[in-house]
C-alpha cells in the first residue's frame, strides 16, 4: 500500500496513525502541497478532489480520511476497531460524521487560518470549536473512549485536529476530560505523533 499524505494535514494524520496502530505495512508518499502537487494530473487521477490523504492499495485508490479508516479496518478484519453489530457500527459512524462536520468546521478550520492562511472568520470557527469541545467533554465524563470500552476508529478520527487545536488559537485548558482522552490515544502502542507546525510557518 502507498499512503499519500502531508505531515501537516490532520486528515492525513488520521490515516497514517491508524495504519500504524494496526500495523498495516505501507509506504508513505509525501505530497508537496506548497508546490501544488495535489492539483497535478497524476494526483488528480488518484483523487479528483485534489486532497490528501489517498490510499493506493495495488491500484485501488481510496480517498477521504474516514473512508481510509473504514477500509483499513475492514481489510484487516479489525472488528475491535470497527464493530460489526448494528449499535456499535452506528455509534462509530456518528463520530465519523462529527469528524467530517463539527471537527472540520471547528478546530480544523481554526487551524487552517493560522497554518494554511484560509479565509474563515476566526471568532466564528473558534466558537464552533469550543461548542464541540464542550460536547466531547460531556461525552467523556465517566468514559475513556467515544464508543464502548476500547478505542475505535471514532477516536482516531477525532484525535488529530483536537490535539492540534491550540495551533488555531483554540484553548484546551478548560477540558480535562478531552486532554485525558488525547493522552490515552497517545499512549496506544503504535501511536504516531501529528507533527507540530513550525513557528511562523504558513503553508
Amino acid at each position: 500500500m502507498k499512503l499519500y499524505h502531508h505531515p501537516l494535514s490532520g486528515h492525513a494524520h488520521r490515516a497514517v496513525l491508524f495504519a500504524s496502530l494496526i500495523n498495516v505495512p505501507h509506504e508513505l508518499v509525501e505530497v508537496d502541497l506548497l508546490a501544488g502537487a495535489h492539483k497535478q494530473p497524476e494526483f488528480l487521477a488518484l483523487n479528483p478532489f485534489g486532497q490528501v490523504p489517498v490510499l493506493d492499495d495495488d491500484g485501488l485508490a481510496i480517498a477521504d480520511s474516514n473512508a481510509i479508516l473504514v477500509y483499513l479496518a475492514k481489510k484487516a478484519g479489525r472488528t475491535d476497531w470497527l464493530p460489526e453489530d448494528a449499535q456499535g457500527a452506528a455509534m462509530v459512524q456518528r463520530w465519523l460524521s462529527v469528524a467530517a462536520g463539527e471537527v472540520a468546521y471547528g478546530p480544523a478550520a481554526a487551524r487552517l487560518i493560522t497554518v494554511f492562511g484560509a479565509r474563515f472568520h476566526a471568532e466564528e470557527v473558534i466558537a464552533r470549536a469550543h461548542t464541540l469541545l464542550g460536547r466531547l467533554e460531556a461525552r467523556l465524563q465517566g468514559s475513556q473512549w467515544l464508543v464502548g470500552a476500547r478505542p475505535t476508529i471514532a477516536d482516531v478520527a477525532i484525535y488529530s485536529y483536537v490535539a492540534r487545536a491550540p495551533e488555531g488559537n483554540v484553548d484546551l485548558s478548560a477540558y480535562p476530560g478531552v486532554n485525558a482522552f488525547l493522552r490515552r490515544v497517545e499512549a496506544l502502542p503504535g501511536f504516531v505523533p501529528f507533527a507540530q507546525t513550525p513557528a511562523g510557518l504558513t503553508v
Side-chain angles (χ1 to χ4, degrees):
M1 293 185 186
K2 292 183 178 180
L3 183 51
Y4 293 82
H5 79 117
H6 187 278
L8 297 182
S9 164
H11 288 79
H13 181 256
R14 289 175 190 163
V16 173
L17 172 57
F18 187 54
S20 180
L21 289 174
I22 64 172
N23 197 28
V24 171
H26 61 282
E27 174 190 350
L28 286 178
V29 180
E30 185 171 332
V31 179
D32 190 344
L33 302 182
L34 185 60
H38 56 308
K39 302 301 182 183
Q40 298 305 309
E42 181 179 358
F43 187 82
L44 292 173
L46 294 170
N47 181 9
F49 287 89
Q51 299 168 332
V52 294
V54 176
L55 180 70
D56 181 352
D57 184 8
D58 195 25
L60 173 64
I62 308 293
D64 181 84
S65 58
N66 290 338
I68 291 171
L69 299 183
V70 171
Y71 180 84
L72 289 175
K74 287 285 190 182
K75 177 152 188 173
R78 297 301 299 265
T79 57
D80 50 341
W81 286 93
L82 178 56
E84 292 191 337
D85 65 285
Q87 180 179 350
M91 292 176 69
V92 167
Q93 180 57 58
R94 178 201 180 201
W95 287 106
L96 296 184
S97 296
V98 171
E102 287 87 342
V103 171
Y105 294 103
R111 184 174 173 274
L112 281 173
I113 296 172
T114 58
V115 177
F116 291 93
R119 296 181 178 180
F120 295 120
H121 295 290
E123 290 184 4
E124 180 181 346
V125 296
I126 290 172
R128 285 184 195 152
H130 283 293
T131 297
L132 166 69
L133 289 166
R135 290 171 180 164
L136 282 174
E137 185 73 16
R139 172 66 190 94
L140 291 164
Q141 292 301 309
S143 179
Q144 291 195 325
W145 306 105
L146 294 173
V147 178
R150 57 155 295 115
T152 66
I153 62 171
D155 303 293
V156 177
I158 295 298
Y159 169 81
S160 302
Y161 283 118
V162 172
R164 289 289 171 266
E167 292 184 352
N169 297 315
V170 177
D171 186 0
L172 296 179
S173 62
Y175 308 100
V178 171
N179 281 286
F181 162 76
L182 297 176
R183 303 295 86 79
R184 283 192 291 274
V185 173
E186 291 159 5
L188 292 171
F191 174 78
V192 176
F194 183 11
Q196 290 195 358
T197 304
L201 174 67
T202 298
V203 177

